[in-house]
Amino acid sequence: MIFYFSATGNSAWVAHRLASLTDDTAYDIITLHTLPNLQTAKQIGFVFPVYAWGAPEIMATFAKKLPKGNTFAFGVCTCGEDAGLTMKQFAKLYPLDSSYSLIMPNNYIIGSDTDSKEVISSKLTLARKELAQIAQEIQQQKRTYRVHEGSLAGIKSHLANFGFNRFARSTKPFFVTEACNGCGLCEKNCPASAISMKKGNPLWNLQCYQCMGCINQCPQQAIQYGKSTIGRHRYTIQPYLPKEEQF
Ligand SMILES: Cc1cc2nc3c(=O)[nH]c(=O)nc-3n(C[C@H](O)[C@H](O)[C@H](O)COP(=O)(O)O)c2cc1C
Ligand code: SF4
Ligand code: SF4
C-alpha cells in the first residue's frame, strides 16, 4: 500500500509507478475516506513533495495517525533540488526501513520560474531509471537511506522550515486576473479546502498548505501570488508523460 500526496503530479506519478513496478496499489490521501486493511499490506509506502526541507503538514498528520505495525515501510520524497532532513524527521512520525529522495521538476513558482522543458524532460528520464532501482530494492525489502540532503540541511529543515510554516503560508497575496472564467476547478481541487467561489471568483481563506496546485493547474493561468509569479511559467507533470504513464 502506497500512500501519496501530490499537488502538481510529481509524487502521484512516482507513487503510481512504484505501485506498478512492485505490484501494489497507490492511494491518494486526499480522496481516501476509509483506510484499506493494513493487515493485508505487504509493504507500506509514503510518497510526498518536500516543502521547505520538510514534509507537508497534511502528510505528516496522516503518517502520525496511521497505526504502526511490523510491515516493511519506505518513504520517497520528491524535490526540485534537495531534501534536507525531511526523511529523518518524517521517520520519527512513522518508522521507515528505507528512505529515498528523487529530484523532480520544480513547482514552487513563488521562489523561481519552472525548470526549462529540457531540464524537466531530463529530470524525468533520470527519475525513471532511479525508480526502477528503488522498486527493485523495495521488493528485496532492502534497508537503506538514499536521500540528497544538500548543504546546511539542519539549518534548512529546522529554521527555514519553521519560518515557512509560520510566516510563508499566507494566502493574502493570491489574486485572479480577468482571465478567470469562474470554472471552479481551483476550489474543487484545493486539498486544504482553502478556496471558495464567490460571485464567480475564487476567494482564499487565511492560510493554506501552499502546495501550488491552484496556481499551476488553473487552465486560464489566471492565478497570481503577489508580483512574484507574474511572467513565470506554470508546471504540472501531465503534458510530459506518455500515454501509458498517465494516471
Ligand atoms: C511550498 C513548497 C516548498 C518547496 N520546497 C522545496 C525544498 O525545500 N527543496 C526542494 O528541492 N524542492 C522544494 N519544492 C519543490 C517540490 O518539492 C517539487 O517540485 C515536488 O516534486 C512537487 O511535487 P508534487 O508535484 O507531487 O506536488 C517546494 C515546493 C513547494 C510548493
Ligand atoms: S481554476 Fe482558474 S479559471 Fe477556474 S475559477 Fe479558478 S482561477 Fe478561475
Ligand atoms: S489554496 Fe492553492 S496553494 Fe493553497 S493549498 Fe489550496 S491549492 Fe494549494
Side-chain angles (χ1 to χ4, degrees), residues 105-118:
N106 173 45
N107 72 348
Y108 190 55
I109 57 169
I110 292 175
S112 58
D113 204 350
T114 60
D115 296 321
S116 68
K117 285 185 177 167
E118 292 72 31

Side-chain angles (χ1 to χ4, degrees), residues 30-50:
I30 297 297
T31 51
L32 189 68
H33 297 302
T34 39
L35 268 185
N37 182 359
L38 297 175
Q39 308 296 331
T40 62
K42 59 174 177 177
Q43 59 193 21
I44 304 277
F46 301 91
V47 186
F48 54 85
V50 170

Side-chain angles (χ1 to χ4, degrees), residues 79-188:
C79 57
E81 278 173 43
D82 50 34
L85 304 182
T86 300
M87 297 313 291
K88 283 181 181 154
Q89 291 178 338
F90 187 80
K92 290 180 186 156
L93 307 174
Y94 194 102
L96 298 176
D97 296 294
S98 65
S99 298
Y100 301 91
S101 66
L102 206 55
I103 309 258
M104 293 289 287
N106 173 45
N107 72 348
Y108 190 55
I109 57 169
I110 292 175
S112 58
D113 204 350
T114 60
D115 296 321
S116 68
K117 285 185 177 167
E118 292 72 31
V119 170
I120 292 174
S121 296
S122 76
K123 280 184 171 181
L124 291 178
T125 303
L126 282 176
R128 252 181 218 104
K129 278 191 200 148
E130 178 73 11
L131 273 174
Q133 176 70 27
I134 294 175
Q136 209 173 36
E137 292 177 5
I138 288 171
Q139 281 182 308
Q140 294 161 351
Q141 304 209 333
K142 184 173 170 183
R143 290 174 149 263
T144 187
Y145 179 84
R146 207 156 67 243
V147 176
H148 178 57
E149 293 186 351
S151 59
L152 305 173
I155 292 176
K156 286 170 172 171
S157 292
H158 289 110
L159 271 182
N161 183 264
F162 173 81
F164 167 74
N165 283 308
R166 187 73 182 264
F167 306 111
R169 282 169 48 185
S170 165
T171 57
K172 270 192 194 156
F174 276 119
F175 68 95
V176 280
T177 65
E178 65 282 1
C180 171
N181 62 10
C183 72
L185 193 77
C186 49
E187 177 190 46
K188 183 170 154 264

